[in-house]
């Protein structure tokens, strides 16, 4: 929590709290990570992109589960009506025509087997630990903290706008169809983050609660950063540090 551990010590106005939250994203969101920079520079091998897609699937798959955990603890019907849109976005109408299915399409378009990706069994241990920590956080911490952790969506349009055009320009095997997952995400993220930010501004009404929401966003940024750390460590330098049982790209 370095740099933000006592940001709300004297209490913040709603605008001041929002400014701190946006500063967290500006400094700690994973568009600043070297793996992302290598991706947008066209420096990743196809195997590294496959590893990213396979591991990120674990995160995509847990999103509706963490949102369901949040829903189960919300007493306000209006809150539930708004929050359940997130589950519908990712699961779709039948479980396999929403965002998770579109991410699976991204992975298979990069040459991965769908059932292998869905099994998650070749994901990095650090990925599974990070995703599990996020689900536990949203299940066990306060509703306010769980909502605040979702505020990384404030910054997702930034990384999408950096990532998509760069990938289309730098990797000749990546097409607009490959990246179709990202078509709807900026609009969905803006809707969701507007709601979550308004909720946090309204309900973080004491210095203690304000610090909790700041820490929750720092935690979520750390989760996303740690997932890229794991990819960089395992698959950088020619895959010299891939752990036993994890995905190994085809050397050809």
């Amino acid at each position: 929590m370095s740099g933000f551990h006592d940001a709300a010590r004297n209490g913040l106005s709603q605008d001041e709290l929002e400014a701190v939250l946006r500063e967290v994203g500006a400094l700690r969101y994973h568009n600043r990570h070297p793996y992302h920079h290598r991706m947008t520079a066209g420096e990743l091998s196809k195997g590294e992109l496959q590893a990213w897609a396979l591991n990120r699937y674990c995160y995509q798959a847990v999103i509706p589960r963490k949102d369901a955990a949040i829903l189960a603890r919300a007493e306000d019907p209006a809150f539930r009506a708004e929050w359940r849109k997130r589950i519908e976005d990712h699961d779709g109408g039948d479980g396999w025509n929403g965002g998770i299915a579109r991410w699976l399409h991204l992975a298979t378009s990069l040459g991965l087997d769908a059932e292998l990706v869905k099994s998650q069994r070749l994901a990095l241990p650090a990925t599974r630990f990070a995703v599990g920590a996020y689900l536990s956080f949203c299940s066990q911490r306060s509703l306010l903290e769980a909502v605040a952790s979702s505020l990384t969506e404030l910054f997702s349009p930034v990384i999408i706008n950096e990532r998509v055009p760069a990938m289309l320009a730098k990797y000749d095997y990546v097409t607009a169809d490959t990246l179709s997952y990202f078509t709807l995400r900026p609009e969905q993220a803006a809707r969701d983050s507007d709601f979550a930010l308004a909720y946090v501004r309204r309900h973080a009404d004491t210095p203690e609660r304000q610090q909790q929401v700041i820490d929750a966003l720092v935690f979520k940024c750390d989760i996303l950063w740690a997932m890229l750390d794991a990819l960089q460590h395992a698959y950088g330098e020619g895959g010299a540090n891939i752990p036993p049982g994890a995905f190994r790209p085809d050397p050809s």
Side-chain angles (χ1 to χ4, degrees):
M1 307 297 179
S2 176
F4 297 101
H5 69 278
D6 61 352
R9 177 176 49 190
N10 298 318
L12 302 168
S13 69
Q14 289 187 0
D15 287 346
E16 288 170 339
L17 174 62
E18 179 177 340
V20 172
L21 294 170
R22 291 187 181 278
E23 185 182 5
V24 171
L27 295 176
R28 303 182 74 124
Y29 194 57
H30 63 298
N31 67 318
R32 297 173 63 90
H33 196 283
Y35 203 86
H36 171 71
H37 293 165
R38 291 180 59 224
M39 180 185 293
T40 57
E43 296 174 358
L44 296 185
S45 68
K46 187 172 185 179
E48 287 177 295
L49 280 178
Q50 289 176 324
W52 164 72
L54 181 146
N55 279 270
R56 177 77 183 198
Y57 178 86
C58 300
Y59 174 81
Q60 300 299 137
V62 88
I63 290 174
R65 294 175 58 201
K66 67 89 179 175
D67 285 327
I70 291 172
L71 268 181
R73 296 160 56 213
E75 297 181 1
D76 180 5
F79 177 97
R80 294 198 302 268
E82 185 66 30
W83 204 266
R84 68 172 177 250
K85 295 175 185 176
R86 297 165 177 256
I87 298 176
E88 294 165 358
D89 287 343
H90 284 84
D91 283 343
D94 64 0
W96 284 107
N97 62 357
I100 294 176
R102 287 192 292 276
W103 192 270
L104 186 64
H105 174 72
L106 185 156
T108 57
S109 296
L110 291 175
L112 295 169
D113 176 76
E115 294 305 314
L116 182 67
V117 175
K118 288 163 63 176
S119 76
Q120 303 183 37
R121 64 182 180 84
L122 297 188
L124 295 169
T127 298
R128 294 197 296 269
F129 292 152
V131 169
Y134 183 39
L135 179 59
S136 294
F137 184 94
C138 292
S139 302
Q140 298 172 11
R141 303 297 282 265
S142 71
L143 180 61
L144 179 61
E145 289 170 286
V147 170
S149 72
S150 76
L151 286 174
T152 47
E153 290 178 328
L154 284 169
F155 319 111
S156 66
V158 173
I159 202 169
I160 291 172
N161 289 336
E162 293 173 356
R163 180 174 287 161
V164 170
M167 291 181 71
L168 292 174
K170 303 289 186 177
Y171 304 96
D172 58 10
Y173 50 86
V174 173
T175 67
D177 178 67
T178 305
L179 303 180
S180 59
Y181 167 84
F182 295 107
T183 303
L184 298 177
R185 282 309 301 158
E187 180 180 350
Q188 293 170 344
R191 177 202 68 202
D192 293 344
S193 61
D194 284 350
F195 178 81
L197 181 60
Y199 183 92
V200 166
R201 283 171 58 103
R202 186 167 62 252
H203 291 278
D205 53 4
T206 68
E208 179 183 14
R209 290 174 183 159
Q210 290 173 346
Q211 190 62 55
Q212 286 174 347
V213 303
I214 294 166
D215 291 347
L217 182 55
V218 169
F219 167 81
K220 176 62 179 307
C221 287
D222 286 350
I223 289 289
L224 296 171
W225 194 278
M227 289 172 62
L228 292 188
D229 273 349
L231 286 167
Q232 178 73 14
H233 177 72
Y235 295 99
E237 300 178 5
N241 300 306
I242 300 173
F247 169 72
R248 288 186 174 272
D250 184 343
S252 64

